[in-house]
Amino acid sequence: MPALDTASIQFLKGVGPARKKLFANLGIQTIEDLLYLFPRRYEDRRKITPIAQVVPGEWQVVLGEVAAKGGRRTFFNKKHVFEVVLADDSGRVSCVWFNQPYLENYLHPGNKVVVYGRAEVFNNKLQIISPEYEIINDDVEGLSSARIVPVYPLTRGISQRYLRKVMALALELHAQDLLEVVPPEVRIRHHLRPVAESVRQVHFPDDARAQEEADRRLCFDEFFMFQVSVILRRRTFLKKKGCAHFLPAEFHARFQQAFPFLLTEAQRKSINDIAHDMARPFPMLRLLQGDVGSGKTVVSFFGCLAAVANGNQAAIMCPTEILAEQHYHTFTAYFSQGPFGAVRTALLSGALKKKEKAALYARILSGDVDVVIGTHALLEDGLEFRKLSFVAVDEQHKFGVKQRALLSSKGDNPDVLVMTATPIPRTLCLTLYGDLDVSVIAEKPKGRGEIKTYHFTGEQAAGVYRRVAEWVKKGTQAYIVYPVIDENEKADLKAAVEMYERFKKDELKGLRVGLVHGRLPADEVRIVMDKFKRHEIDVLVTTTVLEVGIDVPNANVMVIENAERFGLAQLHQLRGRIGRSEKSAVCILLGDPQTEEGKLRLAAVLKTVDGFKIAQEDLEIRGPGQYFGRHQHGLNELRMVNPATQLDVLEAARQEAVDLVNSDPSLNAHLIIKNTIRKRYPEYLKRVLAG
Ligand code: ADP
Ligand code: MG
């Protein structure tokens, strides 16, 4: 049998070729992958609520037998309702599901069922609404009842019970073969249990404490390895040969001359950090953190000019076309003539025709273009630079580590600046971005007007639109934002499009109203945005394409529709689009939050405009697990989703990793670690551990 990280899960009894494919949908190929598929939550089925004691409003686990079932349609809107009556020794309760008619084929009288859900009183009757359910007729293994039961992320065709069974088998046969990667002395120092035991406890914990302990151990492991790889990467990176940019003493003053405003203290400090890095003959890798509206863009321009002044090229990569266009316009406004002469700038849009693109590629390759601003289009294979020595990645949390690396590879170890408006507490920043240097812009430009935020219910919307019309008639511009979860979903866009039509005829009659959303062709978006910028449009109806970066200082009113549907960070980003001039601004949240969480989110946005405080609230409301979702930080390499819960563990693991690399930089005395890192983080560490 091959090692666990190469042994296919087909080695396991009960996993055939068909199931193997299904597992692949969960990202699982090997037995090791399977053992590291951690539960998304647990259900304590030692605490079953007797049916007679079910109370409304609370989440509870109920165990009973199906006594009756039936499907029907509601009288008014013809929704399908499936109802099951569940009975135990103490009483009966009904469970209902909406619009899931197929459930009729699954649940039958006589089935023994565990349900997990919340009860509500409806027509004087207690009902459990759309609970998760599981049939446990023949739970001979005892994996699904009377214990703390793991609940896994699933894919179609794989059920909880099946997965538990396969997992139990894999644990029994293979857990003892899992490698201990953390050195023994480190394990002793931090009281870490053996890895096999920890993995077992994570799946089928004896009790809550054992589960926490196991979690801590595995978190330590993973983070330790990740940190070792980050530290090695940084070491190698720092030794690479980069471009030493020469910047004459008056360069900073000349840069300042380009702008009609004074750079803030914080901007100047970040610029100094960058100038210092860029002057050295090693590549820069720096994160620029600053709240929305703090003026990060001009800081990135400094790097571009430093490159250009040295006869090289620069690139700025943005997550959306709108943002790329905006940066392009801002850049050309300041630098197509001015203290640095005529800087030749190009916009690389994904919408370019084949011929235009080829022509632009040729100019970039020959060095006829100094600065290229674009979207993901910058990553395309055919694009080559003559000499790229500075790249900036805006809103970097929208990109992954790979994309950042791909852009850099277009130059010869160019200096890299990545920017983000997602504030991250300092400790976390160090641990998550251990391979980056960090500059923070903590102040906003002076003289900005105040942003006032209000909340109105959906019923009050008409009055709100009336006020918006009045304000706009006095000369300001406004955004009306609709929540669109998936810009590819036509249904989601409907509300925005319909309201746009209605506004024109009705509430905002006589005003110039525009519409942008993610499904419009880039050309059309450009035309509308340009008009809005030139104040030829008064009110822009929009979706969350607006979220990142957009900067129109005369727009000082924003209405956010169904505000309860947005995440907290999103609301903050959106609101950051206004309050960009000396005039005061108004943000109106429209909506009727139903959940406690929704209410808390709106309350947080009403309370403060400070991004760091909002990030903190977000963490508290959502819990760190979701706040630090896998994709937010481009850390797709981490298997455990939740680095924020265990800050002390992270810090301890980081310190151990630093010590280890200091004492054994080649890792030749720690071959298990070396090999594991090679396997686990291949692209993160491509050449770092060669030989
Ligand atoms: P963000 O950090 O959110 O990317 P931007 O770079 O878009 O912020 O800047 C927001 C606005 O502030 C822009 O209109 C920009 O021109 C302006 N701005 C930037 N720096 C200053 C400054 N020092 N003083 C006044 N306005 C500034
Ligand atoms: Mg920005």
Side-chain angles (χ1 to χ4, degrees):
M1 165 119 191
L4 292 189
D5 57 351
T6 48
S8 162
I9 45 165
Q10 247 185 291
F11 277 94
L12 285 171
K13 202 173 121 211
V15 183
R19 285 268 172 56
K20 184 181 158 190
K21 276 201 194 120
L22 296 178
F23 272 115
N25 295 337
L26 288 170
I28 292 172
Q29 258 107 35
T30 67
I31 293 180
E32 192 189 81
D33 293 340
L34 180 69
L35 293 175
Y36 278 93
L37 174 75
F38 296 142
R40 74 184 153 80
R41 63 179 181 84
Y42 299 90
E43 216 168 276
D44 194 344
R45 293 192 183 163
R46 298 168 307 181
K47 287 191 213 130
I48 305 273
T49 309
I51 287 175
Q53 288 169 30
V54 169
V55 286
E58 267 170 50
W59 291 88
Q60 28 217 327
V61 182
V62 172
L63 170 69
E65 205 177 283
V66 176
K69 68 163 183 172
R72 61 187 149 84
R73 294 201 169 264
T74 55
F75 183 73
F76 287 112
N77 52 11
K78 303 283 175 252
K79 257 205 248 175
H80 184 274
V81 185
F82 176 60
E83 180 168 357
V84 153
V85 177
L86 217 56
D88 69 5
D89 295 341
S90 74
R92 294 169 159 240
V93 68
S94 75
C95 305
V96 295
W97 291 267
F98 299 103
N99 288 331
Q100 301 183 52
Y102 53 86
L103 289 181
E104 294 191 41
N105 304 326
Y106 291 120
L107 288 163
H108 303 291
N111 284 159
K112 205 167 138 201
V113 183
V114 174
V115 301
Y116 172 70
R118 199 155 59 167
E120 277 175 23
V121 179
F122 183 75
N123 278 348
N124 278 330
K125 206 174 89 178
L126 202 58
Q127 295 186 331
I128 305 180
I129 309 297
S130 303
E132 287 187 28
Y133 75 94
E134 222 181 283
I135 304 167
I136 54 164
N137 288 345
D138 48 351
D139 184 34
V140 279
E141 308 88 355
L143 295 174
S144 297
S145 47
R147 58 171 309 137
I148 299 178
V149 174
V151 180
Y152 294 100
L154 291 181
T155 184
R156 188 183 277 272
I158 292 197
S159 69
Q160 292 293 354
R161 293 200 46 223
Y162 167 76
L163 193 50
R164 278 179 212 135
K165 213 155 123 179
V166 173
M167 192 67 82
L169 185 69
L171 286 167
E172 190 188 319
L173 297 175
H174 303 293
Q176 76 271 15
D177 299 330
L178 284 168
L179 276 185
E180 293 282 2
V181 284
V182 176
E185 64 278 11
V186 176
R187 285 200 314 262
I188 292 166
R189 250 197 307 276
H190 298 279
H191 313 286
L192 302 174
R193 325 275 313 171
V195 69
E197 181 192 324
S198 303
V199 170
R200 276 191 205 109
Q201 287 295 333
V202 150
H203 290 291
F204 296 102
D206 292 337
D207 51 44
R209 218 162 115 221
Q211 184 261 323
E212 271 165 34
E213 186 114 315
D215 225 39
R216 175 168 162 271
R217 153 80 217 238
L218 297 172
C219 187
F220 188 103
D221 260 31
E222 169 143 54
F223 215 71
F224 175 78
M225 298 302 284
F226 182 66
Q227 283 297 307
V228 171
S229 72
V230 165
I231 294 163
L232 283 173
R233 193 177 118 101
R234 182 170 169 80
R235 281 184 164 229
T236 332
F237 188 82
L238 291 178
K239 279 192 231 137
K240 283 188 189 165
K241 216 175 102 23
C243 174
H245 296 86
F246 172 73
L247 298 176
E250 89 290 351
F251 198 84
H252 293 258
R254 222 180 338 143
F255 184 69
Q256 169 66 76
Q257 279 165 27
F259 306 103
F261 46 75
L262 269 185
L263 294 166
T264 63
E265 181 72 33
Q267 282 172 320
R268 274 185 284 140
K269 190 162 173 315
S270 304
I271 286 172
N272 286 341
D273 291 344
I274 293 168
H276 175 260
D277 288 354
M278 288 183 75
R280 297 167 67 231
F282 311 104
M284 164 175 86
L285 187 49
R286 184 168 285 279
L287 172 72
L288 180 61
Q289 249 199 81
D291 204 351
V292 275
S294 61
K296 294 183 289 294
T297 315
V298 296
V299 174
S300 72
F301 290 173
F302 181 89
C304 295
L305 289 159
V308 176
N310 282 267
N312 304 332
Q313 291 165 298
I316 303 179
M317 181 162 73
C318 313
T320 65
E321 295 274 345
I322 305 186
L323 194 51
E325 301 227 349
Q326 175 180 297
H327 286 356
Y328 172 75
H329 289 305
T330 316
F331 192 91
T332 47
Y334 293 133
F335 297 110
S336 61
Q337 52 190 18
F340 294 91
V343 179
R344 297 161 302 175
T345 311
L347 176 68
L348 183 64
S349 154
L352 286 183
K353 307 242 157 47
K354 221 172 167 185
K355 257 199 182 148
E356 296 168 331
K357 196 163 96 174
L360 182 54
Y361 277 15
R363 285 173 56 216
I364 294 172
L365 181 60
S366 70
D368 280 351
V369 173
D370 302 310
V371 178
V372 186
I373 300 176
T375 55
H376 296 81
L378 281 164
L379 302 176
E380 274 174 32
D381 263 348
L383 177 65
E384 286 175 58
F385 289 79
R386 189 182 61 77
K387 190 162 192 298
L388 179 67
S389 73
F390 174 82
V391 307
V393 179
D394 197 9
E395 309 287 347
Q396 80 101 28
H397 54 286
K398 302 265 171 187
F399 296 96
V401 175
K402 257 198 230 172
Q403 288 165 313
R404 191 173 87 198
L406 195 56
L407 182 59
S408 305
S409 72
K410 305 257 175 192
D412 204 5
N413 300 326
D415 288 323
V416 177
L417 181 71
V418 301
M419 302 189 270
T420 185
T422 311
I424 307 160
R426 219 192 99 70
T427 25
L428 257 185
C429 195
L430 192 66
T431 40
L432 290 175
Y433 290 120
D435 57 341
L436 305 185
D437 293 305
V438 180
S439 299
V440 179
I441 308 187
E443 69 178 313
K444 286 202 183 158
K446 292 204 183 55
R448 290 270 171 92
E450 191 191 352
I451 305 182
K452 292 215 177 84
T453 308
Y454 303 95
H455 171 223
F456 291 99
T457 63
E459 273 185 0
Q460 297 168 307
V464 168
Y465 301 141
R466 218 175 311 124
R467 291 302 292 275
V468 170
E470 282 166 22
W471 283 322
V472 167
K473 280 179 192 147
K474 288 190 190 138
T476 186
Q477 287 164 278
Y479 299 105
I480 301 183
V481 188
Y482 284 85
V484 170
I485 308 307
D486 177 354
E487 297 265 356
N488 290 319
E489 275 293 326
K490 281 210 185 101
D492 262 353
L493 288 176
K494 225 172 102 190
V497 178
E498 281 176 2
M499 283 305 283
Y500 162 70
E501 296 296 341
R502 206 181 97 184
F503 284 141
K504 281 196 300 188
K505 282 191 260 160
D506 200 353
E507 285 94 343
L508 304 177
K509 197 166 167 188
L511 297 174
R512 297 162 300 178
V513 186
L515 171 73
V516 289
H517 58 70
R519 292 268 294 194
L520 289 179
D523 291 356
E524 219 164 296
V525 173
R526 178 183 317 124
I527 292 169
V528 176
M529 286 311 295
D530 283 350
K531 280 189 176 164
F532 190 65
K533 254 175 223 174
R534 290 198 303 264
H535 201 166
E536 291 164 23
I537 286 177
D538 301 305
V539 181
L540 190 65
V541 177
T542 168
T543 62
T544 37
V545 290
L546 188 73
E547 184 189 337
V548 289
I550 299 305
D551 184 46
V552 181
N554 189 49
N556 273 316
V557 174
M558 173 173 284
V559 178
I560 305 181
E561 302 268 351
N562 290 105
E564 74 282 356
R565 290 184 57 193
F566 290 96
L568 198 43
Q570 246 183 338
L571 288 171
H572 178 62
Q573 284 282 337
L574 282 169
R575 182 173 54 180
R577 301 304 119 221
I578 57 171
R580 292 179 163 243
S581 71
E582 67 292 342
K583 296 200 193 101
S584 58
V586 182
C587 177
I588 295 174
L589 310 173
L590 274 182
D592 310 281
Q594 303 291 329
T595 63
E596 202 47 38
E597 241 192 81
K599 284 177 198 157
L600 286 173
R601 283 203 299 264
L602 296 198
V605 180
L606 289 168
K607 198 163 61 189
T608 178
V609 289
D610 179 324
F612 277 89
K613 286 194 189 130
I614 292 206
Q616 189 60 39
E617 295 257 349
D618 204 7
L619 222 127
E620 282 162 20
I621 295 173
R622 282 205 275 171
Q626 290 175 38
Y627 181 74
F628 293 95
R630 270 169 201 270
H631 296 290
Q632 278 208 1
H633 298 281
L635 290 177
N636 306 339
E637 296 81 0
L638 287 182
R639 293 188 285 199
M640 303 209 42
V641 190
N642 200 343
T645 41
Q646 316 220 9
L647 277 181
D648 51 332
V649 178
L650 299 195
E651 189 43 39
R654 198 183 70 85
Q655 198 49 55
E656 289 290 354
V658 169
D659 293 349
L660 180 95
V661 178
N662 281 339
S663 69
D664 180 20
S666 66
L667 294 187
N668 282 337
H670 295 88
L671 287 179
I672 297 183
I673 295 181
K674 185 168 180 167
N675 291 331
T676 309
I677 286 182
R678 271 204 197 126
K679 277 188 216 156
R680 213 178 276 176
Y681 308 112
E683 76 251 337
Y684 208 66
L685 279 176
K686 219 173 219 159
R687 289 181 304 264
V688 176
L689 282 178

